[in-house]
Amino acid sequence: MNPYVMAFHEIDHKWRTAVGGKGVNLGELTTISGIQVPEGFCVTTKAFKESFESNADYQTLLQELRLLKADDRGKIGAVGRDIREIILEAKIPEGVLKGLFDCLAKYGMNSAYAVRSSATVEDLPHASFAGQQDTFLNIKGKDAILEHIRKCWASLFTDRAVIYRIQNGFDHYKVYLSVIIQRMIFSQASGILFTADPVTSNRKVLSIDAGFGLGEALVSGLVSADNYKVRGGGIVNKRISEKKVAVNAQKKGGTEEREIEPNRQCLEALTDEQVLELEKIGRKIEAYFDHPQDIEWCLADGSFYIVQSRPITTLYPIPEAERSLENHVYVSVGHQQMMTDPMKPLGLSIYMLTTPAPMRTAGGRLFVDVTAPLSSSEGRKNLINTLGQSDPLIKDALLTAAEQEGFVKSIKEHRRGKHNKAVPPVDFQPQMENDPAIVSELIRSSQAKIHDLKQNIQTKSGSDLFLFIQEDIKKLRKSLSDPQSMRLIMAAQNASSWINEYMNQWLDEKNPADTLSQSVPNNITSEMGLALLDVADAIRPYPEIIDYLQQVTEDDFLEEIVKFEGGQKVQEAICSYLDKYGMRCSGEIDMTKARWLERPAFLIPMILNNIKNFELNASKRIFEKGRHAAFKKEQELINRVKALPNGEQKAEKTQQMISLIRDFSGYREYPKYVMINHYFIYKQALLKEAKLLVKSNVIEKEEDIYYLTFEELHEAVINYQLDYQIISERKSEHRLYEKLNPPRVITSNGEIITGEYKTRNLPENAIAGLAVSSGNIEGRARVILNIEDADLEDGDILITSFTDPSWTPLFVSIKGLVTEVGGLMTHGAVIAREYGLPAVVGVENATRIIRDGQRIRVNGTEGYIELL
């Protein structure tokens, strides 16, 4: 076998480093029975290496490129241009030329060829590199082929290719290029075939784009393609476009655009029979590669030729479950928990142990299998109403899934009760004694359990530690679903619904429960935001410390701060805050996320914002202002209700409901606070085991354990052995998952079902969302994606993807809230109501539509944002 050239039939997956992604895929395609691939060969990466590895100028420029970042656009352009010039003028070694010319003689020296780039890091399942390197069609003659081989090599260093590699973490030194020389097919029609619908992600639906002539017209966007959707041997949708131009081959070589005759422009590029033949070809190729494929095809003389196939990298993964012939519907947990970032395996497995719900994972996120309740009429009603209260987009998506004929099979009547217990009806009205002492007792009991856990876990290590954590998680899970705790939360929630419904009916008053919820007692999360104002007060008298904090980037600042005047007092204030709230952080349901206790510097921007935006004792004033607003609203409502027919009776019921809101609604945040406390205690204990694994060279650093499940980590601790490749692969997977946008609802077919807000009259330039906290506010939008980047001024409106409890300290500075994710009872909504902030959540693409600094108006009563 020649080291510089390889025929397609000599290539399989073992040769990726020699022929790149496209080359390997073409080699594999040639082995599939019934698939026609135009013959050809690859000029290997060895030819590329030997042409430049001894070129000193090339190596110097490559090292220079290696030091650049993605935003160094000007420098990337200059260095890339110099490298391309070296490549285009390079002398190709004699051995490479001999191998090349021998192959051309075999396949036809004067034949026409397509000359394509094939990089060693493209067409991977997690990074396609589509369009990053160049392709040249209808190249004739050895001199022209040599010229275009150099052009393919040079295309490795275009600006877009270099930036793509930097953004995806690929080392320029470890990326090489092979060049494909493939016999040219002069096609009457060509196009792209996706074996999964790229719009809905449905793996059962195949999508075909087709146009006249060569495929370049479609790829370059010169024409709109005909599109066919095919499912199970039938065309389910067809869109025929007007195709005014085609790209065709020239006799002398190269290609040209030609206008299509007017009477042919609206003709179909394919017959129905040809479409269905392509479906069979696509499914055969997909089955071979065992992954949905993006396939380039062309039609010549009545036969289909496949010129490329690569994995589709943009599909959201299907939640992992046992293979089943039945369809399943999954709902995102992250959209309910206000954390749509991917979780690491250890965090996923701990959360899955904590919840009794039927959890599945996909793309580093958690999903609940809701097929069972959807399959009965009563269960469906309860599920959709419950989730719909929280997130109307999920409700609408589930309605769409349920209405797909035959998608979810009905279950027998005797099984319904079992499934319905998981989702209580929203109008469930528990009988609850209106006694605030119940909350105090639940909090006291939880604190005692946390104290005992901290004491007892210190005596555990090795396998005993894992068994101890497993047992504690069982207790935690039981306490999180404690009937008394759940009744209390439901009582407050239903009281809010009752007040909003009847005050609207009796008094034409919209959402008064929002005002009544302000400054309620025992809300551990809102108290956390106010407590950070008190920390700012402790620092405020010491200008030297404020100046020092503005320079801090490391987490050891608490040790240094005592050197300043007032440093001891400031250190005590911050440590006291961390002692109570330090186990919290952004994305806290993922145990592996860095906590404030681990990274206290995270708090500094928020503390400095508080010093800048507030005066002394602001926490007390804010709390009293909210409490006064709630009391005033309570008195107003009672007086107005008393004036109604049967007023005394209605007022008594209204007073009961208001008392439930005031006494119990603050507790809703507490169970999660308890869970996060437990998680942090587990984490500290597991990191001690990680230190031992590092000392024994089982892992490289302590954080490596985050990429193992709880069970895998247990095995590693028992055996002191681990295949480190698992961790490396999962780190790569996690980087991929960070780029994915999780759906609210996805099916076992991979179909992403999106919900919509029901049509309503909105002002011009308004964006619809879900109203979760009443009021109207106008101000400056601050688009903030990471909490550590927050630089807010009093009166700003926070625009972000999602908020969890760690964002609460920012809420004291803002006057309104807009998030892309969330529902009526999710964290941001609850705290916004308590602080009296107008808020709209579930606003699709809010962080992209609303510009940072733009003036906007938030209508938290009706649920929309106006761009002013």
Side-chain angles (χ1 to χ4, degrees), residues 628-666:
H628 178 73
F631 177 75
K632 184 179 176 183
K633 178 59 69 176
E634 177 181 350
Q635 295 304 111
E636 174 198 327
L637 293 176
I638 295 297
N639 290 334
R640 291 175 66 191
V641 170
K642 281 182 178 178
L644 298 172
N646 299 318
E648 290 297 329
Q649 184 180 354
K650 290 177 179 177
E652 183 181 353
K653 182 69 173 177
T654 301
Q655 186 66 68
Q656 285 179 355
M657 293 298 138
I658 292 174
S659 296
L660 287 172
I661 293 171
R662 297 295 302 167
D663 292 341
F664 294 157
S665 62

mmCIF file of all heavy atoms in Angstrom, residues 628-666:
data_model
loop_
_atom_site.group_PDB
_atom_site.id
_atom_site.type_symbol
_atom_site.label_atom_id
_atom_site.label_comp_id
_atom_site.label_asym_id
_atom_site.label_seq_id
_atom_site.Cartn_x
_atom_site.Cartn_y
_atom_site.Cartn_z
ATOM 1 N N HIS A 628 -45.299 46.191 54.476
ATOM 2 C CA HIS A 628 -46.322 47.239 54.538
ATOM 3 C C HIS A 628 -47.248 47.176 53.322
ATOM 4 O O HIS A 628 -48.474 47.316 53.453
ATOM 5 C CB HIS A 628 -45.654 48.613 54.623
ATOM 6 C CG HIS A 628 -46.637 49.751 54.637
ATOM 7 N ND1 HIS A 628 -47.419 50.051 55.736
ATOM 8 C CD2 HIS A 628 -46.978 50.658 53.662
ATOM 9 C CE1 HIS A 628 -48.192 51.073 55.444
ATOM 10 N NE2 HIS A 628 -47.946 51.470 54.210
ATOM 11 N N ALA A 629 -46.652 46.936 52.127
ATOM 12 C CA ALA A 629 -47.470 46.838 50.902
ATOM 13 C C ALA A 629 -48.443 45.677 50.998
ATOM 14 O O ALA A 629 -49.616 45.783 50.594
ATOM 15 C CB ALA A 629 -46.569 46.683 49.688
ATOM 16 N N ALA A 630 -47.971 44.548 51.559
ATOM 17 C CA ALA A 630 -48.838 43.375 51.710
ATOM 18 C C ALA A 630 -49.961 43.657 52.709
ATOM 19 O O ALA A 630 -51.135 43.313 52.469
ATOM 20 C CB ALA A 630 -48.010 42.172 52.167
ATOM 21 N N PHE A 631 -49.606 44.278 53.854
ATOM 22 C CA PHE A 631 -50.611 44.597 54.873
ATOM 23 C C PHE A 631 -51.665 45.569 54.332
ATOM 24 O O PHE A 631 -52.874 45.397 54.546
ATOM 25 C CB PHE A 631 -49.923 45.195 56.101
ATOM 26 C CG PHE A 631 -50.882 45.613 57.179
ATOM 27 C CD1 PHE A 631 -51.503 44.668 57.990
ATOM 28 C CD2 PHE A 631 -51.181 46.967 57.383
ATOM 29 C CE1 PHE A 631 -52.397 45.058 58.973
ATOM 30 C CE2 PHE A 631 -52.072 47.354 58.367
ATOM 31 C CZ PHE A 631 -52.685 46.398 59.167
ATOM 32 N N LYS A 632 -51.195 46.560 53.581
ATOM 33 C CA LYS A 632 -52.112 47.552 52.998
ATOM 34 C C LYS A 632 -53.063 46.889 52.009
ATOM 35 O O LYS A 632 -54.276 47.164 51.999
ATOM 36 C CB LYS A 632 -51.289 48.644 52.308
ATOM 37 C CG LYS A 632 -52.128 49.791 51.741
ATOM 38 C CD LYS A 632 -51.213 50.834 51.108
ATOM 39 C CE LYS A 632 -52.043 51.946 50.459
ATOM 40 N NZ LYS A 632 -51.173 52.943 49.776
ATOM 41 N N LYS A 633 -52.523 45.973 51.173
ATOM 42 C CA LYS A 633 -53.362 45.267 50.200
ATOM 43 C C LYS A 633 -54.367 44.374 50.925
ATOM 44 O O LYS A 633 -55.535 44.270 50.524
ATOM 45 C CB LYS A 633 -52.494 44.439 49.250
ATOM 46 C CG LYS A 633 -53.247 43.613 48.222
ATOM 47 C CD LYS A 633 -54.128 44.469 47.314
ATOM 48 C CE LYS A 633 -53.331 45.340 46.377
ATOM 49 N NZ LYS A 633 -54.216 46.085 45.435
ATOM 50 N N GLU A 634 -53.922 43.725 51.995
ATOM 51 C CA GLU A 634 -54.821 42.867 52.783
ATOM 52 C C GLU A 634 -56.001 43.670 53.326
ATOM 53 O O GLU A 634 -57.165 43.260 53.186
ATOM 54 C CB GLU A 634 -54.040 42.241 53.938
ATOM 55 C CG GLU A 634 -54.891 41.386 54.861
ATOM 56 C CD GLU A 634 -54.067 40.805 56.008
ATOM 57 O OE1 GLU A 634 -52.822 40.913 55.973
ATOM 58 O OE2 GLU A 634 -54.683 40.252 56.945
ATOM 59 N N GLN A 635 -55.714 44.813 53.941
ATOM 60 C CA GLN A 635 -56.780 45.642 54.506
ATOM 61 C C GLN A 635 -57.725 46.141 53.425
ATOM 62 O O GLN A 635 -58.951 46.148 53.601
ATOM 63 C CB GLN A 635 -56.164 46.831 55.256
ATOM 64 C CG GLN A 635 -55.345 46.442 56.471
ATOM 65 C CD GLN A 635 -56.161 45.620 57.448
ATOM 66 O OE1 GLN A 635 -55.921 44.426 57.634
ATOM 67 N NE2 GLN A 635 -57.159 46.239 58.070
ATOM 68 N N GLU A 636 -57.146 46.528 52.305
ATOM 69 C CA GLU A 636 -57.971 47.038 51.193
ATOM 70 C C GLU A 636 -58.933 45.967 50.691
ATOM 71 O O GLU A 636 -60.123 46.221 50.488
ATOM 72 C CB GLU A 636 -57.044 47.509 50.062
ATOM 73 C CG GLU A 636 -57.773 47.929 48.800
ATOM 74 C CD GLU A 636 -56.846 47.959 47.584
ATOM 75 O OE1 GLU A 636 -55.642 48.269 47.740
ATOM 76 O OE2 GLU A 636 -57.331 47.661 46.481
ATOM 77 N N LEU A 637 -58.407 44.755 50.487
ATOM 78 C CA LEU A 637 -59.244 43.676 49.971
ATOM 79 C C LEU A 637 -60.356 43.311 50.966
ATOM 80 O O LEU A 637 -61.515 43.124 50.571
ATOM 81 C CB LEU A 637 -58.392 42.442 49.658
ATOM 82 C CG LEU A 637 -57.384 42.570 48.512
ATOM 83 C CD1 LEU A 637 -56.552 41.305 48.409
ATOM 84 C CD2 LEU A 637 -58.080 42.856 47.185
ATOM 85 N N ILE A 638 -59.991 43.188 52.232
ATOM 86 C CA ILE A 638 -60.992 42.806 53.247
ATOM 87 C C ILE A 638 -62.108 43.846 53.299
ATOM 88 O O ILE A 638 -63.310 43.504 53.340
ATOM 89 C CB ILE A 638 -60.330 42.650 54.624
ATOM 90 C CG1 ILE A 638 -59.336 41.473 54.604
ATOM 91 C CG2 ILE A 638 -61.384 42.451 55.715
ATOM 92 C CD1 ILE A 638 -59.958 40.120 54.336
ATOM 93 N N ASN A 639 -61.741 45.116 53.299
ATOM 94 C CA ASN A 639 -62.755 46.179 53.365
ATOM 95 C C ASN A 639 -63.662 46.170 52.142
ATOM 96 O O ASN A 639 -64.891 46.355 52.257
ATOM 97 C CB ASN A 639 -62.090 47.544 53.500
ATOM 98 C CG ASN A 639 -61.439 47.728 54.861
ATOM 99 O OD1 ASN A 639 -61.861 47.102 55.838
ATOM 100 N ND2 ASN A 639 -60.419 48.564 54.939
ATOM 101 N N ARG A 640 -63.086 45.940 50.974
ATOM 102 C CA ARG A 640 -63.893 45.933 49.752
ATOM 103 C C ARG A 640 -64.803 44.704 49.706
ATOM 104 O O ARG A 640 -65.954 44.783 49.249
ATOM 105 C CB ARG A 640 -62.991 45.982 48.512
ATOM 106 C CG ARG A 640 -62.277 47.317 48.329
ATOM 107 C CD ARG A 640 -61.313 47.258 47.166
ATOM 108 N NE ARG A 640 -62.020 47.098 45.898
ATOM 109 C CZ ARG A 640 -61.415 46.810 44.740
ATOM 110 N NH1 ARG A 640 -60.104 46.638 44.709
ATOM 111 N NH2 ARG A 640 -62.131 46.679 43.640
ATOM 112 N N VAL A 641 -64.289 43.569 50.165
ATOM 113 C CA VAL A 641 -65.102 42.348 50.159
ATOM 114 C C VAL A 641 -66.260 42.466 51.142
ATOM 115 O O VAL A 641 -67.386 42.005 50.881
ATOM 116 C CB VAL A 641 -64.222 41.116 50.471
ATOM 117 C CG1 VAL A 641 -65.093 39.887 50.719
ATOM 118 C CG2 VAL A 641 -63.263 40.839 49.319
ATOM 119 N N LYS A 642 -66.021 43.084 52.280
ATOM 120 C CA LYS A 642 -67.088 43.252 53.271
ATOM 121 C C LYS A 642 -68.267 44.052 52.718
ATOM 122 O O LYS A 642 -69.411 43.873 53.160
ATOM 123 C CB LYS A 642 -66.533 43.958 54.514
ATOM 124 C CG LYS A 642 -65.760 43.042 55.438
ATOM 125 C CD LYS A 642 -65.276 43.801 56.665
ATOM 126 C CE LYS A 642 -64.541 42.874 57.635
ATOM 127 N NZ LYS A 642 -64.031 43.625 58.817
ATOM 128 N N ALA A 643 -67.971 44.916 51.737
ATOM 129 C CA ALA A 643 -69.035 45.750 51.160
ATOM 130 C C ALA A 643 -69.892 44.985 50.156
ATOM 131 O O ALA A 643 -70.905 45.498 49.674
ATOM 132 C CB ALA A 643 -68.417 46.975 50.499
ATOM 133 N N LEU A 644 -69.513 43.735 49.840
ATOM 134 C CA LEU A 644 -70.260 42.934 48.871
ATOM 135 C C LEU A 644 -71.437 42.238 49.539
ATOM 136 O O LEU A 644 -71.483 42.119 50.770
ATOM 137 C CB LEU A 644 -69.323 41.868 48.259
ATOM 138 C CG LEU A 644 -68.103 42.360 47.478
ATOM 139 C CD1 LEU A 644 -67.210 41.183 47.130
ATOM 140 C CD2 LEU A 644 -68.526 43.107 46.217
ATOM 141 N N PRO A 645 -72.400 41.753 48.764
ATOM 142 C CA PRO A 645 -73.457 40.894 49.328
ATOM 143 C C PRO A 645 -72.812 39.691 50.019
ATOM 144 O O PRO A 645 -71.848 39.120 49.507
ATOM 145 C CB PRO A 645 -74.266 40.470 48.096
ATOM 146 C CG PRO A 645 -74.022 41.552 47.096
ATOM 147 C CD PRO A 645 -72.619 42.016 47.326
ATOM 148 N N ASN A 646 -73.327 39.303 51.172
ATOM 149 C CA ASN A 646 -72.720 38.252 51.995
ATOM 150 C C ASN A 646 -71.263 38.584 52.324
ATOM 151 O O ASN A 646 -70.394 37.712 52.390
ATOM 152 C CB ASN A 646 -72.788 36.879 51.309
ATOM 153 C CG ASN A 646 -74.208 36.438 51.054
ATOM 154 O OD1 ASN A 646 -75.078 36.606 51.926
ATOM 155 N ND2 ASN A 646 -74.456 35.889 49.878
ATOM 156 N N GLY A 647 -70.997 39.853 52.502
ATOM 157 C CA GLY A 647 -69.630 40.340 52.646
ATOM 158 C C GLY A 647 -68.882 39.767 53.826
ATOM 159 O O GLY A 647 -67.691 39.457 53.723
ATOM 160 N N GLU A 648 -69.544 39.635 54.994
ATOM 161 C CA GLU A 648 -68.852 39.139 56.177
ATOM 162 C C GLU A 648 -68.345 37.717 55.978
ATOM 163 O O GLU A 648 -67.210 37.379 56.344
ATOM 164 C CB GLU A 648 -69.789 39.205 57.398
ATOM 165 C CG GLU A 648 -70.094 40.604 57.883
ATOM 166 C CD GLU A 648 -68.850 41.333 58.368
ATOM 167 O OE1 GLU A 648 -67.917 40.648 58.885
ATOM 168 O OE2 GLU A 648 -68.776 42.565 58.224
ATOM 169 N N GLN A 649 -69.174 36.881 55.364
ATOM 170 C CA GLN A 649 -68.789 35.489 55.109
ATOM 171 C C GLN A 649 -67.636 35.432 54.099
ATOM 172 O O GLN A 649 -66.675 34.684 54.278
ATOM 173 C CB GLN A 649 -70.002 34.708 54.589
ATOM 174 C CG GLN A 649 -69.728 33.223 54.381
ATOM 175 C CD GLN A 649 -70.966 32.485 53.859
ATOM 176 O OE1 GLN A 649 -72.046 33.060 53.755
ATOM 177 N NE2 GLN A 649 -70.786 31.219 53.547
ATOM 178 N N LYS A 650 -67.750 36.225 53.029
ATOM 179 C CA LYS A 650 -66.688 36.250 52.012
ATOM 180 C C LYS A 650 -65.385 36.807 52.594
ATOM 181 O O LYS A 650 -64.290 36.322 52.279
ATOM 182 C CB LYS A 650 -67.127 37.097 50.812
ATOM 183 C CG LYS A 650 -68.235 36.464 49.980
ATOM 184 C CD LYS A 650 -68.682 37.380 48.858
ATOM 185 C CE LYS A 650 -69.778 36.709 48.007
ATOM 186 N NZ LYS A 650 -70.292 37.611 46.953
ATOM 187 N N ALA A 651 -65.519 37.823 53.440
ATOM 188 C CA ALA A 651 -64.328 38.424 54.040
ATOM 189 C C ALA A 651 -63.618 37.429 54.958
ATOM 190 O O ALA A 651 -62.381 37.384 55.026
ATOM 191 C CB ALA A 651 -64.710 39.678 54.819
ATOM 192 N N GLU A 652 -64.405 36.613 55.700
ATOM 193 C CA GLU A 652 -63.790 35.611 56.580
ATOM 194 C C GLU A 652 -62.988 34.593 55.771
ATOM 195 O O GLU A 652 -61.860 34.237 56.131
ATOM 196 C CB GLU A 652 -64.895 34.905 57.373
ATOM 197 C CG GLU A 652 -64.358 33.897 58.376
ATOM 198 C CD GLU A 652 -65.470 33.195 59.145
ATOM 199 O OE1 GLU A 652 -66.656 33.587 58.992
ATOM 200 O OE2 GLU A 652 -65.153 32.247 59.892
ATOM 201 N N LYS A 653 -63.576 34.129 54.644
ATOM 202 C CA LYS A 653 -62.860 33.178 53.779
ATOM 203 C C LYS A 653 -61.625 33.841 53.163
ATOM 204 O O LYS A 653 -60.551 33.225 53.087
ATOM 205 C CB LYS A 653 -63.805 32.696 52.667
ATOM 206 C CG LYS A 653 -63.203 31.664 51.732
ATOM 207 C CD LYS A 653 -62.976 30.342 52.432
ATOM 208 C CE LYS A 653 -62.545 29.266 51.439
ATOM 209 N NZ LYS A 653 -62.258 27.982 52.107
ATOM 210 N N THR A 654 -61.773 35.084 52.739
ATOM 211 C CA THR A 654 -60.644 35.814 52.151
ATOM 212 C C THR A 654 -59.523 35.962 53.167
ATOM 213 O O THR A 654 -58.341 35.760 52.845
ATOM 214 C CB THR A 654 -61.109 37.205 51.672
ATOM 215 O OG1 THR A 654 -62.143 37.052 50.706
ATOM 216 C CG2 THR A 654 -59.958 37.982 51.063
ATOM 217 N N GLN A 655 -59.871 36.275 54.411
ATOM 218 C CA GLN A 655 -58.857 36.427 55.457
ATOM 219 C C GLN A 655 -58.120 35.110 55.699
ATOM 220 O O GLN A 655 -56.896 35.090 55.896
ATOM 221 C CB GLN A 655 -59.514 36.893 56.754
ATOM 222 C CG GLN A 655 -58.513 37.219 57.870
ATOM 223 C CD GLN A 655 -57.650 38.402 57.528
ATOM 224 O OE1 GLN A 655 -58.127 39.527 57.456
ATOM 225 N NE2 GLN A 655 -56.357 38.163 57.299
ATOM 226 N N GLN A 656 -58.870 33.995 55.666
ATOM 227 C CA GLN A 656 -58.227 32.678 55.828
ATOM 228 C C GLN A 656 -57.181 32.442 54.743
ATOM 229 O O GLN A 656 -56.060 31.980 55.019
ATOM 230 C CB GLN A 656 -59.273 31.574 55.754
ATOM 231 C CG GLN A 656 -60.138 31.425 56.989
ATOM 232 C CD GLN A 656 -61.166 30.307 56.810
ATOM 233 O OE1 GLN A 656 -61.276 29.719 55.734
ATOM 234 N NE2 GLN A 656 -61.917 30.023 57.860
ATOM 235 N N MET A 657 -57.553 32.735 53.505
ATOM 236 C CA MET A 657 -56.639 32.500 52.386
ATOM 237 C C MET A 657 -55.406 33.417 52.465
ATOM 238 O O MET A 657 -54.291 32.997 52.183
ATOM 239 C CB MET A 657 -57.380 32.722 51.061
ATOM 240 C CG MET A 657 -58.469 31.694 50.794
ATOM 241 S SD MET A 657 -57.799 30.026 50.649
ATOM 242 C CE MET A 657 -59.011 29.101 51.555
ATOM 243 N N ILE A 658 -55.636 34.670 52.855
ATOM 244 C CA ILE A 658 -54.499 35.594 52.981
ATOM 245 C C ILE A 658 -53.548 35.108 54.076
ATOM 246 O O ILE A 658 -52.323 35.148 53.921
ATOM 247 C CB ILE A 658 -54.996 37.027 53.282
ATOM 248 C CG1 ILE A 658 -55.727 37.590 52.063
ATOM 249 C CG2 ILE A 658 -53.815 37.936 53.653
ATOM 250 C CD1 ILE A 658 -56.385 38.941 52.300
ATOM 251 N N SER A 659 -54.104 34.621 55.162
ATOM 252 C CA SER A 659 -53.264 34.104 56.250
ATOM 253 C C SER A 659 -52.436 32.910 55.786
ATOM 254 O O SER A 659 -51.260 32.766 56.156
ATOM 255 C CB SER A 659 -54.135 33.710 57.447
ATOM 256 O OG SER A 659 -54.778 34.843 57.989
ATOM 257 N N LEU A 660 -53.038 32.026 54.989
ATOM 258 C CA LEU A 660 -52.281 30.888 54.447
ATOM 259 C C LEU A 660 -51.127 31.365 53.577
ATOM 260 O O LEU A 660 -50.016 30.820 53.633
ATOM 261 C CB LEU A 660 -53.207 29.975 53.636
ATOM 262 C CG LEU A 660 -54.198 29.125 54.433
ATOM 263 C CD1 LEU A 660 -55.172 28.418 53.488
ATOM 264 C CD2 LEU A 660 -53.465 28.099 55.289
ATOM 265 N N ILE A 661 -51.388 32.378 52.749
ATOM 266 C CA ILE A 661 -50.322 32.933 51.898
ATOM 267 C C ILE A 661 -49.200 33.499 52.765
ATOM 268 O O ILE A 661 -48.023 33.204 52.559
ATOM 269 C CB ILE A 661 -50.880 34.032 50.967
ATOM 270 C CG1 ILE A 661 -51.849 33.441 49.944
ATOM 271 C CG2 ILE A 661 -49.738 34.760 50.257
ATOM 272 C CD1 ILE A 661 -52.602 34.485 49.138
ATOM 273 N N ARG A 662 -49.564 34.325 53.762
ATOM 274 C CA ARG A 662 -48.558 34.989 54.576
ATOM 275 C C ARG A 662 -47.788 33.996 55.455
ATOM 276 O O ARG A 662 -46.575 34.136 55.642
ATOM 277 C CB ARG A 662 -49.223 36.041 55.479
ATOM 278 C CG ARG A 662 -49.915 37.172 54.758
ATOM 279 C CD ARG A 662 -48.969 38.035 53.966
ATOM 280 N NE ARG A 662 -47.919 38.628 54.796
ATOM 281 C CZ ARG A 662 -46.829 39.217 54.317
ATOM 282 N NH1 ARG A 662 -46.635 39.279 53.007
ATOM 283 N NH2 ARG A 662 -45.929 39.725 55.126
ATOM 284 N N ASP A 663 -48.481 33.001 55.982
ATOM 285 C CA ASP A 663 -47.835 32.096 56.934
ATOM 286 C C ASP A 663 -47.029 30.984 56.270
ATOM 287 O O ASP A 663 -46.028 30.523 56.837
ATOM 288 C CB ASP A 663 -48.892 31.455 57.843
ATOM 289 C CG ASP A 663 -49.530 32.472 58.773
ATOM 290 O OD1 ASP A 663 -48.942 33.556 58.975
ATOM 291 O OD2 ASP A 663 -50.641 32.189 59.284
ATOM 292 N N PHE A 664 -47.478 30.535 55.090
ATOM 293 C CA PHE A 664 -46.908 29.310 54.540
ATOM 294 C C PHE A 664 -46.120 29.477 53.238
ATOM 295 O O PHE A 664 -45.295 28.621 52.912
ATOM 296 C CB PHE A 664 -48.017 28.273 54.304
ATOM 297 C CG PHE A 664 -48.669 27.776 55.562
ATOM 298 C CD1 PHE A 664 -49.943 27.235 55.539
ATOM 299 C CD2 PHE A 664 -48.003 27.843 56.779
ATOM 300 C CE1 PHE A 664 -50.549 26.765 56.703
ATOM 301 C CE2 PHE A 664 -48.602 27.375 57.950
ATOM 302 C CZ PHE A 664 -49.884 26.837 57.907
ATOM 303 N N SER A 665 -46.358 30.528 52.460
ATOM 304 C CA SER A 665 -45.738 30.578 51.125
ATOM 305 C C SER A 665 -44.226 30.738 51.188
ATOM 306 O O SER A 665 -43.509 30.310 50.280
ATOM 307 C CB SER A 665 -46.359 31.690 50.276
ATOM 308 O OG SER A 665 -46.152 32.959 50.866
ATOM 309 N N GLY A 666 -43.705 31.332 52.273
ATOM 310 C CA GLY A 666 -42.251 31.472 52.384
ATOM 311 C C GLY A 666 -41.540 30.149 52.514
ATOM 312 O O GLY A 666 -40.379 30.006 52.110
#
